[in-house]
Amino acid sequence: MREYLKFYINGEWVEPTEAKTLDVINPANEEVCGKISLGNATDVDKAVKAARAAFPAWSQTTREERLEVLGRILAEYQKRFGDLATAVTEEMGAPANLAQRAQVPIGMGHLATAVEVLKTFKFEEDRGPTMIVKEPIGVCGFITPWNWPLNQIVCKVAPAIATGCTMVLKPSEVAPFSGHIFAEIMHAAGVPAGVFNMVQGDGIGVGVPLSSHPEVDMVSFTGSTRAGIEVAKNAAPTVKRVAQELGGKSPNIVLDDGAFAKGVGRGVATMMTNSGQSCNAPTRMLVPKARMDEAIAVAREAVSTVTVGDPNGNSQLGPVVSEIQFNKIQKLIQAGIDEGATLVSGGVGRPDGLDKGYYVKPTVFANVTNEMTIAKEEIFGPVLSILGYDSLDEAIEVGNDTEYGLAAYVQAEDLNAARKVAAKLRAGQVSINGGGGDMMAPFGGYKMSGNGREWGDFGFHEFLETKAILGYAPKPAAE
């Protein structure tokens, strides 16, 4: 039983101002596995004031000083690799092999990337008589979700540290263990007091006062579009910068060619990763109507090999994160059945032999239309919808017919054909034939999937203000 009852403020572990706790549930067995304190506006204010006090000195540190700190953070992160992996599996149900192969390593990747970007990043640029300067924006508030907890913490913290910002982190209260361990890592790395602060809590108690605090200069939020809208409203009165990475309903267009079966199989596998709990999951697969039966057969075979069970075993899919998520997914699966989609595999209820834990059957629907609930709403579970198209133009039109625009996917034998489709998809990131893993590639969305970009050098710009110093270099005297 884990008990994380203190917050990390101004370089110290401190008691909350109010003795209010929350039980953390292990989604694999529905049992209480830990307890955290719930912060409030007073705790947030203390953390923000610590960050504000630390900003003047930290913002003036040299590139070399910040590189040294990032290097120490990376070293401490590596030391705690096993602890982090165990925590992620326990708090949100990620299979142990996924935690060790992806969930934890991606945090290391963001730290290493920040180091490489910082080495050569241009904070100053001469433009004739004017000097353009990039300066740290100030105190940053980070509100992060539970589905890829370390990815979404570190892709904010690493560039903020690199650019000279100070910060207050609110990890998800649903999966808070890894966030607490990350704060321990920052302390062990000797990050100067006040530069990094962490307050656990829920959206009402901590998220609202953090996003609305007048001494917070920017807020970076990852989560649902609904919650992102509220964060933006809270931030608006103080005209702070808001960066948002929100929901998605990503299309995956499979072209009518010799790589069709491979593309369908790849789409199923990608969709099921992390139990479908990824904002950029390829949830809407578009295939030629004439090959719908073939797509169904390939998808049924692909999903039949997916094992669901104890995340500490050899299962590919663990549970979804919570009872709330489980019930939402069940309701949407039932909506797919009620609205007439063809149930290829899966369905409502837990998989056979799993009577406890928030396990969802890997589910595939076919003959889905884009007006159906399962084609419109973000399900955030292992549920794939297969839609048919008559022409490639129609596929692109349907693919773009969503309020979201975070990611899109194209599967094709002909790379040039795939590139032409990718150019017409309205999404922040388009993956061709399984392409991915580029830590320098910007990540973020169009439309209601958010604004701003994370990862690589693009992530640095979110934490920088631009200053023009006029007359910096006097004009040469006339001869």
Side-chain angles (χ1 to χ4, degrees):
M1 175 75 70
R2 300 173 188 257
E3 287 196 351
Y4 295 146
L5 303 180
K6 293 184 178 182
F7 304 144
Y8 188 70
I9 298 175
N10 203 30
E12 298 178 342
W13 291 101
V14 302
E15 297 285 348
T17 56
E18 181 183 357
K20 185 179 180 182
T21 62
L22 175 73
D23 288 339
V24 180
I25 307 300
N26 183 330
N29 56 26
E30 302 180 47
E31 296 176 0
V32 176
C33 60
K35 183 180 293 187
I36 62 167
S37 293
L38 292 175
N40 58 29
T42 303
D43 299 303
V44 170
D45 188 60
K46 289 179 179 179
V48 171
K49 281 182 166 54
R52 174 61 60 197
F55 179 71
W58 180 248
S59 65
Q60 296 302 310
T61 52
T62 65
R63 182 194 310 265
E64 290 70 28
E65 288 170 321
R66 297 196 297 276
L67 281 168
E68 183 180 345
V69 170
L70 282 169
R72 295 201 305 266
I73 297 169
L74 180 55
E76 292 296 331
Y77 190 104
Q78 291 169 325
K79 289 179 187 176
R80 301 296 298 274
F81 187 102
D83 295 336
L84 289 167
T86 301
V88 170
T89 295
E90 189 175 3
E91 68 188 358
M92 55 80 61
N97 61 357
L98 180 68
Q100 293 162 4
R101 177 174 48 84
Q103 288 272 5
V104 179
I106 199 167
M108 287 196 309
H110 286 303
L111 286 165
T113 299
V115 168
E116 290 307 307
V117 172
L118 180 55
K119 286 177 181 177
T120 58
F121 191 86
K122 291 185 178 180
F123 291 96
E124 296 182 352
E125 178 189 351
D126 288 320
R127 289 196 178 184
T130 300
M131 174 67 77
I132 306 297
V133 181
K134 298 286 188 178
E135 297 182 339
I137 193 168
V139 176
C140 305
F142 297 150
I143 303 173
T144 60
W146 47 260
N147 59 322
W148 288 87
L150 289 163
N151 170 63
Q152 288 145 325
I153 288 172
V154 186
C155 79
K156 301 179 192 302
V157 171
I161 290 286
T163 53
C165 294
T166 60
M167 66 215 71
V168 179
L169 167 69
K170 187 203 92 66
S172 168
E173 73 277 17
V174 177
F177 299 158
S178 54
H180 184 96
I181 295 171
F182 184 79
E184 293 178 346
I185 288 168
M186 298 293 276
H187 182 74
V191 176
V195 171
F196 171 86
N197 306 272
M198 183 204 68
V199 178
Q200 298 273 21
D202 57 20
I204 296 297
V206 176
V208 171
L210 183 59
S211 56
S212 60
H213 200 291
E215 291 192 74
V216 170
D217 299 296
M218 76 92 71
V219 59
S220 179
F221 172 83
T222 301
S224 69
T225 296
R226 175 196 57 78
I229 291 170
E230 292 305 310
V231 167
K233 288 179 179 178
N234 295 334
T238 50
V239 200
K240 57 173 59 68
R241 183 180 300 174
V242 178
Q244 300 169 314
E245 192 265 282
L246 307 175
K249 196 67 182 175
S250 304
N252 181 13
I253 299 178
V254 186
L255 272 60
D256 187 3
D257 58 27
F260 181 80
K262 185 177 181 180
V264 172
R266 182 189 292 122
V268 172
T270 305
M271 176 62 237
M272 297 301 163
T273 300
N274 204 40
S275 297
Q277 299 172 120
S278 298
C279 46
N280 61 341
T283 52
R284 294 182 298 141
M285 181 183 293
L286 290 98
V287 303
K289 286 181 180 176
R291 302 186 76 168
M292 179 64 75
D293 289 345
E294 184 182 350
I296 289 172
V298 173
R300 181 182 287 118
E301 174 62 24
V303 83
S304 71
T305 67
V306 177
T307 56
V308 185
D310 183 359
N312 288 302
N314 294 318
S315 300
Q316 294 166 272
L317 266 65
V320 296
V321 74
S322 67
E323 183 179 13
I324 290 174
Q325 286 298 120
F326 178 85
N327 290 337
K328 174 191 172 187
I329 294 164
Q330 297 301 309
K331 182 179 178 181
L332 287 166
I333 291 173
Q334 187 61 54
I337 295 169
D338 294 343
E339 292 178 18
T342 302
L343 183 62
V344 174
S345 62
V348 295
R350 291 180 173 87
D352 293 341
L354 295 171
D355 300 323
K356 199 171 187 181
Y358 306 123
Y359 296 97
V360 175
K361 295 176 183 176
T363 298
V364 176
F365 285 103
N367 296 306
V368 176
T369 65
N370 216 36
E371 293 72 38
M372 291 182 180
T373 303
I374 56 173
K376 285 186 171 296
E377 290 195 24
E378 186 177 34
I379 299 173
F380 231 62
V383 182
L384 172 66
S385 298
I386 305 178
L387 298 81
Y389 65 83
D390 289 315
S391 68
L392 208 48
D393 286 342
E394 181 190 359
I396 293 165
E397 182 181 354
V398 171
N400 287 332
D401 183 17
T402 171
E403 63 185 15
Y404 298 112
L406 184 60
Y409 300 77
V410 184
Q411 319 295 328
E413 192 172 41
D414 183 341
L415 182 57
N416 285 329
R419 287 169 174 165
K420 290 178 181 178
V421 173
K424 296 178 181 179
L425 292 171
R426 299 283 295 168
Q429 200 171 81
V430 183
S431 172
I432 295 175
N433 293 334
D438 184 355
M439 299 297 294
M440 290 289 187
F443 187 74
Y446 289 24
K447 299 185 279 186
M448 293 191 77
S449 286
N451 50 62
R453 292 296 182 269
E454 297 181 319
W455 298 41
D457 58 313
F458 290 89
F460 275 45
H461 292 287
E462 295 300 318
F463 301 102
L464 294 168
E465 290 281 22
T466 302
K467 175 188 288 183
I469 305 177
L470 307 177
Y472 188 89
K475 294 180 181 179
E479 295 182 1

